[in-house]
Amino acid sequence: MVPPFPLSAGLPERLVVEGEFGAEVNSFVPFVYWLHLTGLMRGRQVCTYAGMRPFYFFLADGEIAEEARPRRYVPPPARPAWLPNRDDHAARRTGFEVFPDYRRHFRDGAFAGDKPLLVIHNKATAEWSGPPVNVIPLPILDRLFGALTGRFRVVYLRPGIHGTPCGYSADHQPDLPFDDLAVLQRHPEVVLFDEIAAERAGRTGYNETKLRLYAHADFHITVQGGNAHLLTMFPGGMVAILHRLGQEIRHSYRDGPFGYAAAPRPRWLICRNPDELLVTIPLFRDAVMADGQALLPPWHCHALRMLSPAAQCGDDRMMPDDLKAKPPVPFSV
């Protein structure tokens, strides 16, 4: 087999990661795992960002180094020529990548409980040098909490809610003020992830705690970005993604790693606006897990088709109609 990238020209001994979190877990981690499984990591070292060690659990200590440096976006042509997929938004399956099964490795029973876990992951960051676009608004967050806490143990996660946490590998976009703590006060049954991370700080770091929590959570509501890419490596379950704007809608959800990184792949629900996110509430309430897959009764078939990657993705759906009509409005809560 001839590699579709110039591996024969020489793979460096030091594999330096540069780029956003989503690109690292989407393209870099699976290549390094392939190198590890084939023995090609011998004599080499990955140099990544501080806090990323748990994502490379398969490497020996001498094969990985972490550096406290800020992430930055790196255009695909400027990424290493030896990567099988240099563009994380146009990635296709190759024979030179193996996606680790984080659910199997990190599931240790620590977060087992009498109710299924549902993690809601939000962000409030500057996007494309402008205001937040892919953010779950406060009224929608309030309705999600109220509707789902009866069925689930709900954990809420927004990086930056109490400042940059220790051990968190942040991207270059700054976090912006967002009053979700006020919403949480109205729903005391919702657990803030930062509290879980603080309680476990003496045993596991921020990212390892997150991976162990995710390994026990079959249900997620998230937003476009790096966290959605991470969830591709947790088989089964059901994930709703609020995607208002971003390159993933062209290819990634339908034809990229979201479809092949895990087996069975998660059941993806692509929501192009907050109202579609509310449509997922009865689906989450009625979903059951069987043999590692999320099953739903037949009366939800219309909603499943409407929110499927096949229906929601494509070049003509790059931008929702309301964002085509005018640029994103200034951010407000």
Side-chain angles (χ1 to χ4, degrees):
M1 181 183 295
V2 179
F5 56 95
L7 184 60
S8 58
L11 189 66
E13 292 184 359
R14 196 165 185 261
L15 307 176
V16 180
V17 182
E18 287 190 305
E20 296 177 312
F21 173 78
E24 180 171 0
V25 298
N26 168 296
S27 303
F28 198 89
V29 168
F31 177 56
V32 173
Y33 196 28
W34 178 80
L35 291 174
H36 166 75
L37 293 175
T38 56
L40 292 173
M41 270 301 298
R42 294 193 191 97
R44 294 189 168 88
Q45 184 183 66
V46 168
C47 182
T48 182
Y49 297 89
M52 290 298 292
R53 178 68 175 97
F55 297 93
Y56 299 88
F57 65 86
F58 46 86
L59 294 180
D61 288 342
E63 293 177 328
I64 185 168
E66 298 174 272
E67 294 182 347
R69 49 187 166 93
R71 288 187 183 270
R72 63 184 181 89
Y73 172 73
V74 178
R79 298 174 190 178
W82 38 261
L83 274 177
N85 275 304
R86 298 170 71 190
D87 186 347
D88 52 306
H89 292 130
R92 294 189 180 275
R93 186 193 297 267
T94 79
F96 307 95
E97 295 173 307
V98 179
F99 288 81
D101 184 343
Y102 288 141
R103 189 181 301 284
R104 182 175 63 183
H105 179 78
F106 287 104
R107 193 178 183 111
D108 59 1
F111 293 100
D114 56 346
K115 288 183 180 180
L117 263 174
L118 183 145
V119 178
I120 299 180
H121 185 288
N122 206 2
K123 66 179 178 180
T125 63
E127 296 184 84
W128 300 284
S129 302
V133 177
N134 300 295
V135 54
I136 304 174
L138 298 178
I140 301 298
L141 200 59
D142 189 45
R143 292 181 64 179
L144 292 172
F145 288 162
L148 295 171
T149 49
R151 163 92 200 280
F152 296 97
R153 291 179 295 142
V154 177
V155 175
Y156 180 67
L157 195 164
R158 180 175 67 80
I161 195 168
H162 287 311
T164 302
C166 179
Y168 173 69
S169 178
D171 280 342
H172 56 88
Q173 300 98 329
D175 294 314
L176 298 176
F178 191 62
D179 200 14
D180 43 0
L181 285 174
V183 179
L184 284 165
Q185 288 177 354
R186 295 196 292 272
H187 300 276
E189 65 275 28
V190 176
V191 178
L192 184 62
F193 176 75
D194 291 54
E195 297 174 358
I196 297 174
E199 189 274 329
R200 294 177 60 92
R203 290 166 285 165
T204 57
Y206 183 93
N207 281 325
E208 184 174 344
T209 298
K210 180 179 178 179
L211 288 167
R212 292 191 182 280
L213 176 73
Y214 280 22
H216 295 81
D218 292 309
F219 301 97
H220 292 261
I221 296 173
T222 189
V223 291
Q224 176 273 350
N227 188 68
H229 285 276
L230 172 61
L231 291 174
T232 65
M233 297 192 217
F234 290 84
M238 188 165 73
V239 182
I241 303 174
L242 176 61
H243 179 112
R244 307 214 67 221
L245 194 61
Q247 293 290 334
E248 291 91 344
I249 208 70
R250 294 186 183 274
H251 168 84
S252 299
Y253 297 140
R254 186 179 58 189
D255 301 309
F258 285 78
Y260 61 75
R265 66 173 179 80
R267 186 185 291 276
W268 302 107
L269 308 173
I270 311 300
C271 305
R272 300 308 311 277
N273 57 62
D275 288 337
E276 289 186 350
L277 201 57
L278 294 178
V279 171
T280 70
I281 289 175
L283 278 66
F284 280 106
R285 282 174 169 168
D286 291 346
V288 296
M289 294 298 299
D291 295 327
Q293 301 185 66
L295 303 181
L296 285 156
W299 53 83
H300 290 304
C301 61
H302 175 72
L304 288 173
R305 284 196 298 267
M306 180 184 76
L307 301 175
S308 69
Q312 294 283 56
C313 300
D315 290 352
D316 59 334
R317 295 300 315 278
M318 176 62 187
M319 186 179 292
D321 291 340
D322 63 323
L323 294 183
K324 289 177 185 176
K326 59 183 183 300
V329 297
F331 178 60
S332 65
V333 298

